[in-house]
Amino acid sequence: LPPLAVFGRTVSLFPLLFVLTVTAVKDGYEDWRRHRSDRKENNREALVFQSGQFEPKKWKKIQAGEVVKIWANETIPCDMVILGTSDPSGIAYIQTMNLDGESNLKTRYARQEMASVVANGGSISGLVRCEQPNRNIYEFTANMEFRGHKLPLSQSNIILRGCQLKNTEWVIGVVVYTGQETKAMLNSAASPAKRSKLEGYMNRETLWLSIFLLIMCSVVALGMGLWLERHKEQLDTLPYYRKRYFTQGRKDGERYKYYGIAMETFFSFLSSIIVFQIMIPISLYITMELVRLGQSYFMIGDKHMYDSSTDSRFQCRSLNINEDLGQIRYIFSDKTGTLTQNKMEFRRASVHGKNYGASLLPAESLHEVNVAGFPRRWKLQSEISVDLELMGMLHKGMDGEDKIDAHEFFLTLAACNTVIPIITPGLPAGDPGFDSLENMEEIVYQGESPDEQALVAAASAYGYTLCERTSGHIVVDVNGQKLRLDVLGLHEFDSVRKRMSVVIRFPDNSVKVLVKGADTSMFSTFAKGTETDDFIRISTQGHLTQYASLGLRTLVVAARDLTGEELEEWQCMYEDASTSLTDRAAKLRQTTALIECNLRLLGATGIEDKLQDGVPEAIESLRQAGIKVWVLTGDKQETAISIGLSCKLLTTDMHQIIINGSSEDECRNLLLEAKSKYCHKPSNCSDQPWKWTKDAAMDYLGILNYSKTGKRSAWSFGKEESMGSPSLALVIDGTSLVYILEKDLEAELFELATGCRVVLCCRVAPLQKAGVVDLVKSRTDDMTLAIGDGANDVSMIQMADVGVGICGQEGRQAVMASDFAMGQFRFLKRLLLVHGHWNYQRVGFLVLYNFYRNAVFVFMLFWYILCTAFSTTSALTDWSSVFYSVIYTSVPTIVVGILDKDLSHRTLLQHPKLYGAGHRQESYNLHLFWITMLDTLWQSLVLFYIPLYTYRGSSIDIWSLGSLWTIAVVILVNIHLAMDIQRWVIITHAAVWGSIVITYACMVVLDSIPVFPNYWTIYHLALSPTYWLTILLIIIVALLPRFFCKVVYQIIWPSDIQIAREAEAQRKRSYFKPKPGRDSG
C-alpha cells in the first residue's frame, strides 16, 4: 500500500523473502528426505509364502495372515507371531534397538507344538485371534487354534516391526499387524515438548515491549492528526500532503496522496508499527536457538562428562531448556542403576533359617570343592564368590531338611526366571586356574533383569546350572547331572503381586510350584506350620532386615507341592486365562491365587548393588548448592535407608519421619502427627502457611543471608558452617502414596515433604514416581529435574521440567525419553553447577541485551519522528535499518552467549553455593528489565540529541546525520556489550570489534552506489574531526551512568559472583607474582 510504504519495496520484501525462502527450502528438503526414506522403506522386500514357496514381496504389499520368512540380521517388516525358527527348540534372538533403544538381545519363542512341525518340514494350518492394534509394546494378547487345541500367545511369541533378527539363522512367522497398525508405528508420537522457564519470563517482557510499541505508535498517530488539523489550510502547498494534482492532464484536480485527517492518522499508526517493529525481538528467538546449539556442542564435548566404562558421552536431546539447568531446586532420582551401578552380585543367602555369606571365598576356591567328587563343567562370564559352608552342605551326601530346603532353594533360583543360557563350547585346555578343561563350556546368561541374571549365575556357582530353556522345558545341570524339567506354566512378575512363580513337572511326575518375590507380598502366602516353620520364618525375617540394613536387595524364595486335583483345576483356569483376549492379566492374577498360597518358606537372598563412583560427593555438592534430592525407588524401606546413608543423602543426626500407612485415615493421622511435632501454624490466621520450628529443616543453603531490613551480608570463601540443629528426612512407602496421591492428602504431604531436607519414597510404582514429581511441580514455581535409567523412570522423566537419562544396564528407554543423557550420576554435579550456571548466566544476559539493543534503536527513531512533524520518514537508509539486527550487531551476541564465562569451572565446583544465583534469578528478572529500559531510554536520548545539537547550525544533510546515527548506535551497543563480557578470547575480540569494522565496510559500499540518496556521505563525514569527536562524546555520555552504577554496586553491594570473581583474579595475581627472596636480576 502506498501510504504504508515506509521502506522501499525491495527493502521491505528482502527480510520476508529471505525468511520465506530459507523456510521453504528447509521444509522442502525435509519433506523430500522424508518421502525418499518412506519410499525406500516401503519398497523393501521380504520373503512371503506364495504358491508353495517363499517369494520376495514389497513391505507395503504384505497383508495380515501371510507367512513371512526372515533371515539373520534382517529387519522385521511387520508384527508377526513366530511359527518356527532354525533352532529346533523354537528360540529366536532379536534386537529391539529401533523400537525401545535397548541394545541387549531379547528372546522370543515359537510354541513348541508349532516349532516341532516347522523343524520337520511339515505344513501348518491354524487360526490366530488377537487383540485390536494398540501401542503397548510390552504386551500382546492372542490365541491360536491349532489341530483342535487353543494355544495361548503372549508378548514372548511375537516379533515387532523394526526389530532385527540376531544369532538365529532364520525365523518363520504369520503376520498379525501391518503398516500403520504395527506397534512401532503407533508409538511414533514424539515425547512432550518442554519450554524453558526463562523463555516464559521473556514472553512476559515481550508483552511489555508490545505495550511500549503501541504507546509510541499512538503518540505518533495522535501527533500526526493534531498537526494535520493545525495545518489543514496549508496542505495544498506542502510537498507530501497536497490534496490535489496541480499538473494539467487527466489527473488534474484528483486527490494526491491525501486521504483525509482520520485516514492519515490511521495510516500513520500503521506506518509507525512498521518503523518500530524491531522493538519486538523476533530475531531473539533465532539467536537463542543458535546460542543453545553452541552451548550444547561444548556440553557434548566436555571430556569430564565422558564415561569410559560404557564409552558414552554426554547427550543433548533437547535444545530449548539449556538455561533451566541453572535453576534446578528439586532432583528426583531413581536408586537402582542411577545412584548404584545396577551390576548385581549375590552376597547373602538365608536357607532353612540359617544365614550364609558372612565370609565369602574367592571363586578360585570352587575348583578345590568340585575336585572332591563333582568335576566343574561350566565357566561363568564373571567370577562369583561363594560361601564354603553352604557349598559343602550341598555337595555332601547327607540328608536332612536343611539340605532339602537348600536343594529346592537353588533349584528355584535356577528355574523361576526368564533367563536364556547361551553356551560357548570349546574352551582351550590349560586355562589359568583349572587343570583339566577339555569339557569346560562357557555359559552366558541373557535376561532383561540384572537381578535374575545374578540369581541364576549364583545358582550355577553353587552347582545348579541352567543350561537349556525352551517354551516347554528347561534343563538344569545339578552337580554334573542334567535334570530336565517340564514347564507347565509361568506367571511372570507384576507390580500387583510383586512375585513370580513357575509350575514345574519333575521326571518322577511330581509337580511343584517355585515362587520368588518381595517379602511384603510373600509372607502372607505361607502356610501355618510347626514351631520349626515359625522359627525359620522369624529367623528369615531377621536376616532380611539385616540384609536391608547392609543395602542389599532382597527376595524371598518359597515352594509347594501340587496335588493332582489342584494341578487339574489350575491348568483349566490357566488355559482359559492365558488364551483370553480380554482382561488376560486380571484373569491370570486370579489363577495365581490357586497355587501361590500355603507356600513353604525356603529362604531369602541378598544381592549387592554397589554405589556408582562419586555419588556421595555429588549429592553433598548438590545439597550445598541449595538443591533438594528426593530418591524414588522400588526397593524396600530398609534398603533405601541404607543406601541413603552410604551416599550421604541421609545423616545420622537427621530426624526420620516414617509414613507407612495402610489406610487413608492412618496416613492422614501420620501426616498430621508429624506436622504437629515438627511445625506449628499460627493461631491468629488460619490462612497463613505453616512455620517450621527450629529443630526442623531450614533453608540454610543460600549464600546470602537476608535480614528484616533487606540488607545482605557478604559471603566468604571460608569453611561451610554446619547447621546447629538437626534436620528432617521423610521416608514414605508406596502403599501410603496410593492413599495420599489419590485422595485429598496431597497438600498435607506437600507441606511436610517440602519442609524436609531429604525425602525417600520406597516401593513406588512408575506412575507414583510421576505423581510425586507432579506434586511438587504443580504447587511451586521451582524447577524440577528427574533422573533415571530404566523404563520405569520414563513417566517421571517426562513429567519433570528437565529429564536426565542414565546410559545404564536397563536399556535405553530412559535415555530416549530424556532431555539430556549421561553415563554416570556424578556427572550431574558438573552439568548443573558448571554448565547449568554458565548457560543461565549467558541466556539471561543475552535476552536483556537483545531487548536493550533493539529498544535503543527504536527510541532513537522515535525521537527523530517527534522532531519531523510526526511523519514516519527516517534519516537512516532502508538498508541500514534492515542490516542493524541482521548483520551489524547479531554476531557478537551469539558469540558471547556461547563462550562467555563469569567464573571458571574449578571455582564453581569448589563453591557449590554459587549455584544459588540461579535460584535468586540474579541474571534475569523483572527488576533488571526495568533498569535496562531506563538505561536504554537515557542512551537513546544521548544518541539522538548530541549529534542534533552538534550539527544544528551546519549545512549537513539528513542522510549524513543518519549515517552518523547508524555508526554511533552500532559502536555504542557493542561497547555496552563489551562492558559485561567476563572472558575475552580471540573469537570474542573478532566478533565485537569486527562487527564495527563490518558496519563501516557496509556503509562505504552503500554510500558508493550513485542511485542511493546517501551517495558519498561517509566520505565527507570521515574527513571531519567533529564526526569522530561526536561519536566519542556519545559513547562517554551514554555509558557513564551505567559505568558509575556498576562501580558503586560492585564496591558497596557486591554479589557472590563478583566476590568469587575477585577472589579468582586475586589467585591469578598471586600465582604470577614473583616469590619473595628470589633474585629477580
Side-chain angles (χ1 to χ4, degrees):
L1 294 176
L4 303 181
V6 179
F7 303 125
R9 292 182 179 180
T10 305
V11 177
S12 300
L13 289 176
F14 176 77
L16 180 62
L17 289 177
F18 176 77
V19 172
L20 291 179
T21 302
V22 172
T23 304
V25 171
K26 171 180 170 292
D27 293 345
Y29 177 68
E30 289 181 352
D31 289 342
W32 175 77
R33 286 184 59 191
R34 191 179 299 111
H35 175 72
R36 183 183 64 175
S37 176
D38 291 343
R39 183 176 57 187
K40 181 180 178 181
E41 187 80 2
N42 292 329
N43 288 329
R44 295 174 67 176
E45 293 183 341
L47 295 177
V48 179
F49 192 74
Q50 303 174 102
S51 303
Q53 60 181 352
F54 287 98
E55 297 180 355
K57 189 175 184 179
K58 291 183 178 180
W59 282 18
K60 62 183 180 182
K61 295 183 178 180
I62 295 177
Q63 298 179 355
E66 292 183 326
V67 177
V68 178
K69 186 174 185 178
I70 306 297
W71 292 95
N73 299 318
E74 288 185 349
T75 303
I76 311 300
C78 53
D79 295 352
M80 65 184 205
V81 172
I82 305 176
L83 300 178
T85 71
S86 56
D87 191 310
S89 61
I91 294 180
Y93 299 96
I94 61 169
Q95 188 179 65
T96 58
M97 174 70 75
N98 295 332
L99 197 61
D100 58 12
E102 294 193 19
S103 57
N104 59 316
L105 297 182
K106 308 285 196 314
T107 54
R108 296 293 183 264
Y109 308 93
R111 292 288 307 187
Q112 200 64 40
E113 298 85 348
M114 295 177 288
S116 58
V117 176
V118 173
N120 295 328
S123 60
I124 293 180
S125 176
L127 176 64
V128 177
R129 290 187 176 90
C130 58
E131 59 187 348
Q132 291 295 317
N134 60 76
R135 59 191 303 175
N136 191 343
I137 63 175
Y138 300 108
E139 288 186 8
F140 176 66
T141 303
N143 60 55
M144 181 175 184
E145 294 182 3
F146 179 68
R147 294 183 177 179
H149 296 280
K150 185 182 287 187
L151 306 176
L153 300 175
S154 64
Q155 188 260 346
S156 61
N157 305 121
I158 188 174
I159 305 180
L160 304 181
R161 173 176 176 166
C163 301
Q164 282 189 324
L165 188 64
K166 297 289 184 180
N167 294 356
T168 307
E169 186 178 350
W170 53 262
V171 64
I172 295 176
V174 59
V175 179
V176 289
Y177 304 126
T178 62
Q180 297 295 328
E181 295 182 346
T182 58
K183 292 180 181 291
M185 295 299 294
L186 293 173
N187 277 277
S188 59
S191 58
K194 297 180 180 179
R195 285 179 51 200
S196 73
K197 185 177 182 180
L198 193 146
E199 191 172 332
Y201 292 153
M202 185 183 75
N203 293 337
R204 177 191 62 192
E205 273 68 81
T206 302
L207 180 61
W208 278 110
L209 293 177
S210 302
I211 295 175
F212 295 160
L213 174 64
L214 293 177
I215 291 174
M216 288 189 296
C217 294
S218 300
V219 169
V220 172
L222 181 62
M224 170 63 74
L226 295 175
W227 190 90
L228 289 175
E229 180 66 27
R230 181 179 179 183
H231 299 85
K232 62 182 179 180
E233 302 300 332
Q234 306 172 352
L235 294 183
D236 280 335
T237 61
L238 297 177
Y240 186 80
Y241 287 107
R242 284 201 310 271
K243 293 183 178 180
R244 293 176 177 82
Y245 280 95
F246 291 158
T247 56
Q248 299 294 327
R250 61 184 181 86
K251 292 186 176 182
D252 186 21
E254 294 183 5
R255 288 184 177 274
Y256 175 78
K257 293 185 179 181
Y258 183 76
Y259 303 90
I261 294 178
M263 290 303 297
E264 288 292 338
T265 301
F266 177 68
F267 286 144
S268 176
F269 181 83
L270 297 181
S271 300
S272 301
I273 291 180
I274 297 175
V275 174
F276 301 149
Q277 63 181 331
I278 194 178
M279 189 77 169
I280 309 300
I282 299 176
S283 61
L284 175 58
Y285 291 91
I286 302 175
T287 303
M288 289 179 68
E289 292 300 318
L290 294 175
V291 167
R292 287 165 174 165
L293 183 63
Q295 292 173 351
S296 300
Y297 172 80
F298 286 103
M299 285 193 291
I300 293 172
D302 190 343
K303 62 181 180 180
H304 297 289
M305 293 195 295
Y306 170 76
D307 183 24
S308 58
S309 61
T310 59
D311 191 26
S312 59
R313 61 178 182 177
F314 182 81
Q315 300 178 38
C316 287
R317 302 178 58 84
S318 178
L319 297 180
N320 56 346
I321 56 174
N322 288 356
E323 58 272 21
D324 284 348
L325 295 171
Q327 297 178 279
I328 300 299
R329 271 286 192 182
Y330 290 89
I331 292 178
F332 301 90
S333 174
D334 178 39
K335 184 186 77 66
T336 305
T338 304
L339 301 179
T340 60
Q341 299 178 10
N342 202 16
K343 295 180 180 179
M344 310 300 178
E345 295 183 14
F346 189 86
R347 289 297 183 189
R348 295 294 181 92
S350 174
V351 181
H352 196 69
K354 187 175 181 179
N355 182 24
Y356 296 96
S359 58
L360 297 175
L361 295 179
E364 288 77 6
S365 62
L366 281 173
H367 181 56
E368 302 175 4
V369 177
N370 289 330
V371 168
F374 302 102
R376 181 169 170 79
R377 285 192 55 208
W378 309 100
K379 178 177 174 60
L380 297 173
Q381 190 178 26
S382 59
E383 298 294 344
I384 297 176
S385 300
V386 298
D387 187 282
L388 191 58
E389 181 183 358
L390 180 57
M391 178 69 77
M393 183 185 69
L394 288 169
H395 288 259
K396 289 178 182 177
M398 51 185 250
D399 295 327
E401 291 186 3
D402 54 350
K403 182 176 180 181
I404 294 174
D405 283 357
H407 171 75
E408 293 189 2
F409 176 85
F410 285 105
L411 197 60
T412 302
L413 297 186
C416 188
N417 54 72
T418 58
V419 172
I420 299 297
I422 300 177
I423 299 173
T424 305
L427 281 180
D431 195 40
F434 297 91
D435 298 329
S436 178
L437 290 178
E438 289 82 358
N439 297 324
M440 179 68 70
E441 293 178 295
E442 183 177 15
I443 188 166
V444 177
Y445 290 115
Q446 285 279 353
E448 300 181 17
S449 169
D451 297 77
E452 284 194 339
Q453 290 175 282
L455 293 175
V456 175
S460 178
Y462 281 94
Y464 291 76
T465 303
L466 175 65
C467 55
E468 183 181 338
R469 176 185 292 278
T470 68
S471 60
H473 73 272
I474 60 174
V475 177
V476 180
D477 186 329
V478 181
N479 299 327
Q481 297 181 358
K482 289 192 175 182
L483 181 65
R484 178 189 168 104
L485 305 173
D486 294 329
V487 179
L488 303 182
L490 178 69
H491 293 282
E492 295 192 11
F493 181 91
D494 63 62
S495 58
V496 178
R497 292 163 42 245
K498 296 184 179 179
R499 53 182 176 263
M500 177 183 183
S501 60
V502 59
V503 181
I504 296 293
R505 187 192 300 276
F506 286 79
D508 59 358
N509 283 330
S510 63
V511 178
K512 287 182 179 294
V513 181
L514 308 178
V515 188
K516 68 178 182 183
D519 58 339
T520 54
S521 66
M522 289 291 291
F523 277 91
S524 61
T525 63
F526 294 149
K528 294 182 179 179
T530 62
E531 293 183 1
T532 304
D533 296 332
D534 294 337
F535 171 78
I536 294 174
R537 184 182 294 113
I538 295 173
S539 299
T540 305
Q541 285 179 321
H543 297 157
L544 287 169
T545 304
Q546 179 185 350
Y547 298 166
S549 64
L550 296 174
L552 303 181
R553 296 164 62 89
T554 59
L555 280 177
V556 176
V557 180
R560 65 167 291 198
D561 295 321
L562 281 184
T563 63
E565 294 78 8
E566 291 173 331
L567 175 62
E568 185 177 352
E569 183 182 2
W570 170 81
Q571 282 182 320
C572 182
M573 291 188 63
Y574 181 75
E575 183 177 351
D576 291 339
S578 59
T579 57
S580 174
L581 297 181
T582 58
D583 297 329
R584 177 181 292 187
K587 292 177 180 178
L588 284 173
R589 278 197 296 271
Q590 295 175 1
T591 306
T592 60
L594 290 177
I595 57 174
E596 293 179 354
C597 61
N598 298 324
L599 300 176
R600 180 167 57 89
L601 176 60
L602 299 177
T605 62
I607 301 175
E608 181 182 22
D609 189 9
K610 293 183 178 180
L611 281 177
Q612 294 182 11
D613 294 336
V615 167
E617 294 79 6
I619 289 179
E620 182 62 27
S621 295
L622 293 173
R623 283 171 50 178
Q624 290 183 21
I627 301 174
K628 292 186 177 182
V629 181
W630 293 19
V631 174
L632 315 178
T633 178
D635 282 337
K636 64 183 303 182
Q637 184 172 295
E638 293 81 3
T639 303
I641 292 175
S642 176
I643 293 296
L645 290 170
S646 61
C647 68
K648 295 184 180 180
L649 184 67
L650 297 173
T651 57
T652 55
D653 61 343
M654 282 185 176
H655 288 307
Q656 293 185 10
I657 304 175
I658 309 295
I659 307 293
N660 290 341
S662 57
S663 67
E664 181 183 353
D665 292 336
E666 186 177 357
C667 291
R668 178 182 286 106
N669 293 334
L670 289 171
L671 290 173
L672 294 177
E673 180 183 352
K675 290 174 62 176
S676 62
K677 183 177 180 181
Y678 294 103
C679 60
H680 69 275
K681 197 172 185 179
S683 58
N684 56 349
C685 182
S686 60
D687 295 331
Q688 291 186 12
W690 290 86
K691 304 295 183 181
W692 292 92
T693 54
K694 292 184 178 180
D695 62 338
M698 300 176 64
D699 189 12
Y700 68 100
L701 295 171
I703 298 174
L704 301 176
N705 296 320
Y706 290 86
S707 64
K708 293 182 179 179
T709 60
K711 296 181 179 180
R712 302 183 297 179
S713 60
W715 171 72
S716 64
F717 280 82
K719 185 178 180 181
E720 312 291 351
E721 293 185 0
S722 59
M723 197 174 98
S725 56
S727 52
L728 297 177
L730 175 64
V731 181
I732 186 170
D733 66 346
T735 305
S736 301
L737 287 175
V738 170
Y739 299 104
I740 293 174
L741 296 180
E742 295 180 0
K743 304 293 181 180
D744 57 348
L745 300 176
E746 287 189 348
E748 307 289 337
L749 174 63
F750 171 76
E751 291 176 356
L752 179 62
T754 52
C756 299
R757 284 184 63 190
V758 178
V759 176
L760 277 178
C761 299
C762 317
R763 298 294 196 190
V764 290
L767 288 180
Q768 287 179 323
K769 292 184 177 182
V772 173
V773 175
D774 185 56
L775 179 73
V776 175
K777 183 180 176 182
S778 61
R779 284 173 167 78
T780 67
D781 292 330
D782 295 329
M783 299 297 297
T784 59
L785 181 147
I787 180 170
D789 72 317
N792 61 330
D793 302 315
V794 169
S795 57
M796 172 179 71
I797 287 173
Q798 292 182 340
M799 176 61 69
D801 296 303
V802 179
V804 179
I806 298 290
C807 307
Q809 304 291 321
E810 295 189 15
R812 294 176 56 85
Q813 297 102 316
V815 172
M816 296 179 68
S818 65
D819 305 303
F820 305 95
M822 59 182 68
Q824 297 282 333
F825 179 87
R826 57 188 169 92
F827 298 153
L828 190 62
K829 172 183 174 181
R830 185 175 182 86
L831 176 65
L832 298 184
L833 302 189
V834 178
H835 292 287
H837 174 85
W838 284 343
N839 293 343
Y840 171 70
Q841 298 283 337
R842 293 163 177 166
V843 176
F845 173 74
L846 170 73
V847 173
L848 286 174
Y849 175 76
N850 273 269
F851 286 159
Y852 151 78
R853 183 192 67 180
N854 291 355
V856 73
F857 186 80
V858 170
F859 282 144
M860 182 186 70
L861 298 178
F862 178 68
W863 306 134
Y864 176 79
I865 289 176
L866 295 184
C867 294
T868 56
F870 303 99
S871 66
T872 52
T873 57
S874 175
L876 278 64
T877 63
D878 298 343
W879 290 105
S880 294
S881 300
V882 172
F883 287 165
Y884 175 74
S885 295
V886 178
I887 297 177
Y888 295 166
T889 59
S890 60
V891 176
T893 312
I894 297 174
V895 172
V896 173
I898 296 174
L899 297 179
D900 196 34
K901 297 178 181 179
D902 57 348
L903 291 168
S904 68
H905 68 97
R906 294 183 182 86
T907 301
L908 293 172
L909 291 175
Q910 185 179 0
H911 304 285
K913 287 189 176 183
L914 292 170
Y915 185 79
H919 295 158
R920 296 184 295 274
Q921 300 179 9
E922 290 184 359
S923 294
Y924 186 86
N925 53 59
L926 192 59
H927 178 69
L928 283 176
F929 171 76
W930 288 114
I931 291 178
T932 302
M933 288 298 102
L934 289 175
D935 187 30
T936 302
L937 189 64
W938 164 256
Q939 292 189 27
S940 66
L941 289 170
V942 172
L943 191 63
F944 174 75
Y945 282 103
I946 285 183
L948 185 65
Y949 285 104
T950 301
Y951 289 95
R952 190 169 188 176
S954 68
S955 61
I956 190 173
D957 66 340
I958 193 61
W959 301 112
S960 298
L961 198 58
S963 178
L964 173 60
W965 277 327
T966 300
I967 194 64
V969 70
V970 171
I971 296 176
L972 176 64
V973 297
N974 278 282
I975 295 181
H976 177 106
L977 175 67
M979 289 177 63
D980 290 315
I981 295 177
Q982 310 298 335
R983 178 175 179 257
W984 285 92
V985 293
I986 295 178
I987 299 179
T988 310
H989 282 289
V992 174
W993 313 123
S995 65
I996 299 176
V997 175
I998 291 175
T999 302
Y1000 266 113
C1002 290
M1003 293 183 65
V1004 168
V1005 172
L1006 293 175
D1007 288 3
S1008 301
I1009 301 176
V1011 296
F1012 286 174
N1014 54 307
Y1015 177 64
W1016 219 250
T1017 55
I1018 188 67
Y1019 298 99
H1020 293 296
L1021 286 174
L1023 297 177
S1024 171
T1026 305
Y1027 172 77
W1028 301 104
L1029 291 175
T1030 302
I1031 294 176
L1032 180 62
L1033 182 62
I1034 290 173
I1035 303 304
I1036 294 175
V1037 176
L1039 295 179
L1040 189 61
R1042 177 179 177 81
F1043 177 77
F1044 177 77
C1045 290
K1046 285 175 68 73
V1047 171
V1048 171
Y1049 190 82
Q1050 292 190 19
I1051 293 176
I1052 301 178
W1053 301 291
S1055 68
D1056 314 319
I1057 303 297
Q1058 292 162 353
I1059 296 174
R1061 194 181 302 130
E1062 291 178 11
E1064 209 173 59
Q1066 183 65 33
R1067 285 197 299 269
K1068 290 181 180 179
R1069 285 193 293 267
S1070 61
Y1071 178 80
F1072 291 105
K1073 185 178 180 180
K1075 302 297 181 182
R1078 181 175 297 177
D1079 187 5
S1080 59

